[in-house]
Amino acid sequence: MTPITGATRLYGLLGDPIAQVRAPGLLNPVLAGRGSDAVLVPVHVPAADLRPVVAGLRQVANLHGLLVTVPHKAALLALADRATDRARLAGSVNALRREPDGTWSADTFDGDGFVRGLLAAGHDPRGRRVCLVGAGGAGSAIAVALLDAGVAGLHLADTDPDRLAALGGRLSAAYPGRVEAASRPRLADADLAVNATPLGLRPDDPPPFAVADLPAHAVVADIIMSPAETALLRAARERGLPAHPGEPMLAHQIDAYLDFFGL
Amino acid sequence: MTPITGATRLYGLLGDPIAQVRAPGLLNPVLAGRGSDAVLVPVHVPAADLRPVVAGLRQVANLHGLLVTVPHKAALLALADRATDRARLAGSVNALRREPDGTWSADTFDGDGFVRGLLAAGHDPRGRRVCLVGAGGAGSAIAVALLDAGVAGLHLADTDPDRLAALGGRLSAAYPGRVEAASRPRLADADLAVNATPLGLRPDDPPPFAVADLPAHAVVADIIMSPAETALLRAARERGLPAHPGEPMLAHQIDAYLDFFGL
């Protein structure tokens, strides 16, 4: 860790809960290694308190940026002054930076990090059929990145019909003919199945989808980082399917964060 | 430094300017040495933005306390839910902690730290006549602590007549017959003269008072920490008077902060 002085630049990671977040533990040693006088601290904010907290943080002159995790990724898009096309398409942001004029610009790196992690593990999604379960903050960003990476078809499943219809509508307009949305996952012809729901964080969670219903060649990916092997990934491994864990999605975002923040 | 994780407790130091503050550099290594999973970060807040920033920080669930420096010490007294008698008498706080019920309690340790630093340097103020220049956030807390430490008389000087009258009135009521307030310092019979103004932070500042007008046995103290030897302290040294620097006031508050925050 870099020693913190009065001149250290602040970055905050907003989430609820917060104790489990991994980004401070990963990013701060990288900042120290680069000699950046900057620190990322966890900021625990319940959803009901988000607006006054963000209003206050905007006035903190040495706070130069924010990372965002569950459940604030959609809400922060609305509170940013501008966002990239991919963030608006996803309806979700996970990073904001203060510009020199005091306004805040937002982007999402979840999808890019997820796809880079897949590629690094040898699972190129181009031309594949993907079943993505979970249309929340991370899931929506992953959907956009998978479509940008050239998947043949994206089947999007979520149990919240309003959320599913909103994201499905935006994606169908932007990527005609490649997107399908339904309340239940279509697994039978999926080359890659992704869990982007919180199911698996707790030991007694039901599985987000049935590994048994996938083809024998399918890759199973989970974005949950803790536990490192979820029940879903264990089921995939036991069936002999390639299992892709959550950690690479974050690890492959670190460089993108540093670029975005100019660190 | 303790590695920062999602579970690390946050403490903020509010001030404007902020780059020069010493408390994070002093306190964080102490926290690490004690194995406390807590970090103090600088929070740069201009006076005009204080209210929304504090309103936001109050809703940050893992922010457990604040330290306060120039120019916010009086304003934070008004924003706290309760304060100690000495803080209300001084009209100034420099530390706030979140209680289990979510309310904020405030205290000031500046005066206590200053007196402890004096005692450690062998300058017991008991029974002495003190001339204190500057009735701001730190000066007012030092005034209370000197009176509590048993000074025979306190001559308080400030160029702001409203501020001087308010503090002088409160102190005269609490310590009858021992307090005198005036726009100009009374130096001729002072055993100890203290600069609690910002004069001396910049090389071209005029002196806060004239060392030449003090008796030959007087002690000269400054609360400015940077530079370590102000022009005032240099003038005292050159005249052969004991010169007491600003650093001990902060160093002698560290244990008090740790106690107050339960760290």
Side-chain angles (χ1 to χ4, degrees), chain A residues 134-162:
Chain A
S140 58
I142 289 170
V144 171
L146 285 169
L147 287 159
D148 284 341
V151 298
L154 181 76
H155 182 93
L156 188 66
D158 197 285
T159 53
D160 179 333
D162 294 341

Side-chain angles (χ1 to χ4, degrees), chain A residues 86 108-117 141-142 145 249 252-253 256:
Chain A
R86 64 182 177 183
T108 177
F109 299 101
D110 279 331
D112 189 62
F114 178 78
V115 168
R116 284 175 192 269
I142 289 170
M249 180 174 89
H252 285 271
Q253 289 183 71

Side-chain angles (χ1 to χ4, degrees), chain B residues 100-116:
Chain B
D101 65 359
T103 59
W104 286 76
S105 299
D107 200 353
T108 177
F109 300 101
D110 279 331
D112 189 61
F114 178 78
V115 169
R116 283 174 193 268

